[in-house]
Amino acid sequence: DWRAAKIFFEKAEQIDSGVSIPTTLWRQIELREREENVRNVLEAAESEQNAGRPNEARERLENALHAYPNEQGIISRLRAVEAVIAGNRRREEREAALQSLRRLPGELQQKESAAELRECVQRAKSLAGSYPGDPEIAQAAKEILEQGAAFERAAEALARDETKDCIAACEEMLTRLPGYRLFVNLKLEAEIRDTQKAAEFLDSVERQLAAELDLGRRAQILEAAVRK
């Protein structure tokens, strides 16, 4: 019993300061004390970890390592606990990324500008890129990327003055997601431009008719207008 031996030798030194305790005996006592303390620390750390408190286990092991530097048992267990903590952190970050991706489609429907949509699309790409091969993350990001691609197609059609194609693309998305603000606004812009184009065309036809006296030629102008 190292405790009893330690108490005995300490009392002996107190009674007679001239008593010389062999160094080898003190070393054996210190070794037994260290072994027991390390064992207790490892058992306590294991209990903390099993109870779902890896951070507390790490703190206990770090404190023990200050008392017993280079103790391989403590170092090994500390590495294992840190790996568990890192794994927990990765799972928490992944879950946060997944929930963020799942919220984005709803947020996108309330956005007012193309810049905001593109920012969300880039965010989705970045989050998905952080978890390659993760099917849940990929599926959640897919919906956002598809919405972004659909908007870009509609916007490009409008930029080319292909108003009918733009309106059709917007209507396709609005059938799935009624009230999607960006598509509602883009469709309205295309419809206004379409109306303006029609008004300009009718005005052009009227000018041609006004300038043409020949009835045959006027009939040709009308037929051409109807075909358009």
Side-chain angles (χ1 to χ4, degrees):
D1 186 343
W2 65 266
R3 286 188 181 82
K6 184 178 182 179
I7 293 171
F8 176 80
F9 289 141
E10 286 175 344
K11 285 184 176 180
E13 288 180 336
Q14 290 172 3
I15 294 171
D16 185 353
S17 58
V19 172
S20 177
I21 308 301
T23 302
T24 54
L25 289 178
W26 275 122
R27 286 178 178 172
Q28 288 180 24
I29 291 171
E30 290 171 352
L31 178 61
R32 297 292 182 273
E33 181 178 13
R34 177 185 181 119
E35 289 174 346
E36 184 170 317
N37 288 343
V38 168
R39 184 169 58 253
N40 289 339
V41 166
L42 294 177
E43 289 175 355
E46 184 177 7
S47 296
E48 295 279 19
Q49 187 173 344
N50 291 340
R53 298 189 294 269
N55 290 324
E56 288 79 354
R58 178 177 62 183
E59 183 178 357
R60 188 182 292 275
L61 291 166
E62 287 175 342
N63 291 336
L65 199 58
H66 287 302
Y68 302 112
N70 303 318
E71 177 62 48
Q72 290 305 307
I74 295 175
I75 292 172
S76 177
R77 179 60 61 83
L78 181 57
R79 287 174 179 167
V81 169
E82 286 176 338
V84 169
I85 292 172
N88 290 344
R89 186 184 304 113
R90 285 192 298 272
R91 282 190 291 274
E92 290 169 0
E93 290 172 351
R94 184 260 182 195
E95 183 61 25
L98 179 59
Q99 294 308 317
S100 178
L101 285 169
R102 286 174 172 171
R103 286 192 302 270
L104 273 179
E107 294 175 9
L108 276 176
Q109 295 176 47
Q110 305 305 316
K111 299 300 183 185
E112 296 284 356
S113 73
E116 289 179 304
L117 178 141
R118 289 171 183 136
E119 182 180 337
C120 287
V121 168
Q122 284 303 121
R123 183 179 171 193
K125 287 181 178 178
S126 176
L127 288 172
S130 299
Y131 300 92
D134 187 312
E136 279 191 298
I137 294 284
Q139 183 60 38
K142 181 182 177 183
E143 174 66 19
I144 300 159
L145 300 182
E146 286 179 349
Q147 291 182 26
F151 178 81
E152 296 298 347
R153 286 194 300 271
E156 288 169 6
L158 184 60
R160 294 191 300 268
D161 209 29
E162 297 171 356
T163 52
K164 300 296 185 186
D165 290 344
C166 177
I167 292 170
C170 290
E171 287 178 343
E172 182 180 352
M173 181 59 69
L174 291 170
T175 299
R176 288 177 49 211
L177 301 169
Y180 202 135
R181 291 185 182 180
L182 279 169
F183 286 91
V184 168
N185 294 340
L186 191 62
K187 180 188 175 188
L188 179 59
E189 185 179 349
E191 288 173 339
I192 290 172
R193 190 179 299 185
D194 207 29
T195 301
Q196 290 172 341
K197 286 167 60 178
E200 290 170 359
F201 176 71
L202 289 175
D203 185 59
S204 172
V205 171
E206 287 177 358
R207 287 198 304 272
Q208 292 179 60
L209 290 172
E212 184 59 62
L213 299 177
D214 184 87
L215 292 177
R217 180 59 184 151
R218 286 167 66 92
Q220 291 177 354
I221 292 172
L222 289 172
E223 288 175 1
V226 170
R227 285 196 298 271
K228 289 186 177 181

